[in-house]
């Protein structure tokens, strides 16, 4: 299936219409925002089968996985915003110092304005509509750009949005990099982009032309440390799940593993058992094991298997874009598999002797989007205190993003800005400082010739 690029004139007309409509103030009332959030929630129910079918066509993603990793996350986000919207919109009082009296101080959350939301292909529903929840909640308008690499999903999303929203409020545009280039050249009030660090730099350069604020949810190489004292059976099961969900095409999937040298062989056996429990003897036949998104992605990830030693897995099928969950040993840190985000079901395995070695390996590389540690909790907390990452789990993988009370976002090379829950509301809001001063009293001390300055100075 091939998508037709939205014409340039159409994109410019949509952007102009949304800017004009936002200026009317129609998106600001709490009642309007609640109505739009409920409308989106109802549409997710009505369009569930069509969305799940499209995810199967594009990614071989099962109905159950589509619900768990895409639709349920959005609906949970909507429920939280409906529950707390009034609280988040309420002006926040701040103290006013004596030198400014008589006056009152507060912070008011106001919508930034017109948002551009650009989503990737790996979770094409969640990563487009979850930020939209924040934009709606904050009172913004939005232009949505799905990924062309999942065309069936992109087409269904366009239909869903057109059915429930007027285009001067929320609209979908389609296309590849040329359309992205045109979108980034326009002036927006905020850009929310999810993708690779390389494309994040492109977005940030374009946004700098207009001093547009950006939220960049990127990726990188998220380490997974397995230390002495870890329960290998549980660790293997959780790592196998975190690496095989969506065939490893998850920005927070473990990207490489550091394991204590005494544990590697036992872990490989435990990992093999875990994969069989999750997907059977042949994951290719599992209804819950996805495929690489396209031939280019397949060739890139399969190419990593040509160097190193396959400890487990390694089976491939180009016709199906299938790569089995794979552990890859004897890898050189300078090889591409250790320099690029893998975004597939291949997990390089490196060994370490001391936790100091593991920490040094992690901290001498770019800051990752996630970090996972399996082992004693006390040691894990110590390692987290000595490292940094966008998010982290002790004795688990990926699941920190399932808590909508925790913000999600990267740091450094893995991104900037945060969302989920209140942070989504704030990502699309401007916290405006306001000082309300009495118009009846005008104290003379701040005006020249500064009489009684000796006493005024003590108040400053």
């Amino acid at each position: 299936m091939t998508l037709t690029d939205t014409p340039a004139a159409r994109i410019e007309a949509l952007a102009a219409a949304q800017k004009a409509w936002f200026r009317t103030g129609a998106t600001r009332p709490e009642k309007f925002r609640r109505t739009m959030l409920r409308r989106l929630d109802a549409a997710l129910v009505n369009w569930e089968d069509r969305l799940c079918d499209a995810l199967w066509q594009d990614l071989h993603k099962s109905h159950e996985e589509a619900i768990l990793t895409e639709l349920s996350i959005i609906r949970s986000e909507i429920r939280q915003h409906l529950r707390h919207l009034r609280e988040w919109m309420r002006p926040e009082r701040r103290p006013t110092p004596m030198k400014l009296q008589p006056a009152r101080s507060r912070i008011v959350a106001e919508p930034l304005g017109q948002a551009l939301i650009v989503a990737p292909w790996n979770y094409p529903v969640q990563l487009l509509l979850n930020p939209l929840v924040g934009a709606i909640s904050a009172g913004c308008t939005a232009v949505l750009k799905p990924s062309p690499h999942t065309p069936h999903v992109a087409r269904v999303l366009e239909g869903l949005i057109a059915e429930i929203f007027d285009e001067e409020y929320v609209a979908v545009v389609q296309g590849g990099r040329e359309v992205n280039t045109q979108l980034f050249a326009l002036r927006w009030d905020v850009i929310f982009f999810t993708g690779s660090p390389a494309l994040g730099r492109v977005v940030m350069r374009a946004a700098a032309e207009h001093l547009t604020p950006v939220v960049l949810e990127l990726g990188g190489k998220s380490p997974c440390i397995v230390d002495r004292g870890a329960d290998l059976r549980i660790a293997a099961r959780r790592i196998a799940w975190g690496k095989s969900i969506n065939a490893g095409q998850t920005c927070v999937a473990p990207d490489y593993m550091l394991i204590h040298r005494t544990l590697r062989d036992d872990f490989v056996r435990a990992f093999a058992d875990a994969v069989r429990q999750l997907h059977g003897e042949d994951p290719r036949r599992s209804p819950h094991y996805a495929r690489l998104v396209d031939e280019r992605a397949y060739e890139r990830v399969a190419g990593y298997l040509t160097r190193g030693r396959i400890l487990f897995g390694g089976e491939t099928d180009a016709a199906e874009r299938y790569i089995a969950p794979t552990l890859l040993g004897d890898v050189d840190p300078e090889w591409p598999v250790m320099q690029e985000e893998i975004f597939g079901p291949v997990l390089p395995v490196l060994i370490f002797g001391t936790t100091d070695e593991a920490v040094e390996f992690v901290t001498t590389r770019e800051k990752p989007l996630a970090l996972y540690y399996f082992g004693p909790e006390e040691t894990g907390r110590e390692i987290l205190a000595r490292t940094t990452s966008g998010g982290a789990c002790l004795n688990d993988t990926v699941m920190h993003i399932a808590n909508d009370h925790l913000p999600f976002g990267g740091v450094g090379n893995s991104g900037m800005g945060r969302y989920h829950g209140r942070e989504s509301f704030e990502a699309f809001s401007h916290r405006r400082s306001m000082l309300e001063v009495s118009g009846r009293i005008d104290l003379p001390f701040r005006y020249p010739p500064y009489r009684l300055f000796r006493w005024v100075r003590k108040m400053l």
Side-chain angles (χ1 to χ4, degrees), residues 37 41 61 87 93 138 157 163 249 262 293 304 336 417-418:
L37 288 171
D41 190 47
K61 187 175 290 192
E87 170 195 344
R93 292 183 179 180
L157 285 169
E163 180 180 274
Q249 298 167 118
T262 62
V293 66
Y304 295 138
R418 307 182 300 173

Side-chain angles (χ1 to χ4, degrees), residues 221 304 307 332-342:
K221 299 193 70 63
Y304 295 138
R307 303 174 75 177
D332 189 312
E334 301 304 316
W335 290 353
V337 73
M338 285 300 299
Q339 295 295 314
E340 305 163 355
E341 185 177 9
I342 294 171

Side-chain angles (χ1 to χ4, degrees), residues 148-169:
H149 297 291
T150 47
H152 295 91
V153 172
R155 183 62 69 202
V156 173
L157 285 169
E158 183 177 3
L160 182 155
I161 294 298
E163 180 180 274
I164 63 173
F165 296 131
D166 295 331
E167 63 182 23
E168 62 264 30
Y169 176 47

Side-chain angles (χ1 to χ4, degrees), residues 1-15:
M1 180 180 183
T2 303
L3 294 170
T4 301
D5 287 3
T6 302
R10 165 81 171 151
I11 292 174
E12 292 177 3
L14 281 173

Side-chain angles (χ1 to χ4, degrees), residues 52-320:
C52 289
D53 289 345
L55 286 163
W56 176 265
Q57 289 177 287
D58 286 335
L59 290 164
H60 203 265
K61 187 175 290 192
S62 71
H63 188 93
E64 294 86 350
E65 186 172 323
I67 297 297
L68 288 171
T69 65
E70 305 255 15
L71 303 186
S72 70
I73 292 177
I74 306 166
R75 297 197 65 203
S76 176
E77 182 84 358
I78 292 172
R79 287 193 296 271
Q80 188 180 16
H81 282 250
L82 288 171
R83 190 178 304 120
H84 296 289
L85 181 58
R86 181 166 299 171
E87 170 195 344
W88 297 342
M89 290 181 65
R90 187 179 298 127
E92 178 184 338
R93 292 183 179 180
R94 289 293 179 92
T96 304
M98 180 65 69
K99 63 185 177 182
L100 298 179
Q101 297 293 349
R104 292 183 300 176
S105 302
R106 58 182 178 147
I107 297 173
V108 177
E110 60 181 26
L112 281 171
Q114 188 181 23
L116 172 65
I117 300 173
V118 181
W121 51 261
N122 59 327
Y123 291 91
V125 180
Q126 183 215 141
L127 296 179
L128 188 74
L129 299 187
N130 224 26
L132 176 62
V133 173
I136 292 173
S137 177
C140 295
T141 64
V143 168
L144 311 180
K145 169 60 174 57
S147 171
H149 297 291
T150 47
H152 295 91
V153 172
R155 183 62 69 202
V156 173
L157 285 169
E158 183 177 3
L160 182 155
I161 294 298
E163 180 180 274
I164 63 173
F165 296 131
D166 295 331
E167 63 182 23
E168 62 264 30
Y169 176 47
V170 181
V172 171
V173 299
Q174 306 281 14
R177 292 197 174 185
E178 290 184 3
V179 171
N180 284 349
T181 299
Q182 182 192 357
L183 288 168
F184 297 144
L186 297 176
R187 183 166 196 153
W188 307 92
D189 296 305
V190 59
I191 296 175
F192 192 109
F193 173 83
T194 306
S196 69
L199 292 178
R201 294 183 180 93
V202 173
V203 175
M204 199 167 183
R205 280 194 292 268
E209 290 296 318
H210 302 294
L211 297 179
T212 300
V214 294
V215 177
L216 301 179
E217 300 299 341
L218 309 178
K221 299 193 70 63
S222 297
C224 181
I225 301 171
V226 180
D227 203 355
R228 286 177 297 181
D231 184 317
L232 288 188
R233 183 185 63 84
I234 291 178
R237 183 178 179 84
R238 293 176 180 176
I239 293 169
W241 175 80
K243 189 60 175 175
S244 65
I245 193 169
N246 202 29
Q249 298 167 118
T250 304
C251 59
V252 291
D255 202 82
Y256 67 94
M257 190 168 71
L258 295 167
I259 188 165
H260 193 271
R261 60 191 177 197
T262 62
L263 303 178
R264 191 184 75 170
D265 292 344
D266 289 340
F267 178 84
V268 171
R269 287 189 289 270
F271 186 89
D273 289 341
V275 170
R276 283 190 285 269
Q277 291 170 10
L278 293 170
H279 299 294
E281 292 294 334
D282 185 0
R284 183 177 354 211
R285 298 181 180 179
S286 170
H288 304 296
Y289 190 72
R291 300 296 187 264
L292 277 294
V293 66
D294 54 29
E295 288 76 12
R296 181 179 178 184
Y298 168 83
E299 291 172 1
R300 179 183 58 80
V301 178
Y304 295 138
L305 304 180
T306 61
R307 303 174 75 177
R309 180 164 65 93
I310 294 174
L311 304 175
F312 172 78
E315 297 82 13
T316 63
D317 185 334
E320 290 191 23

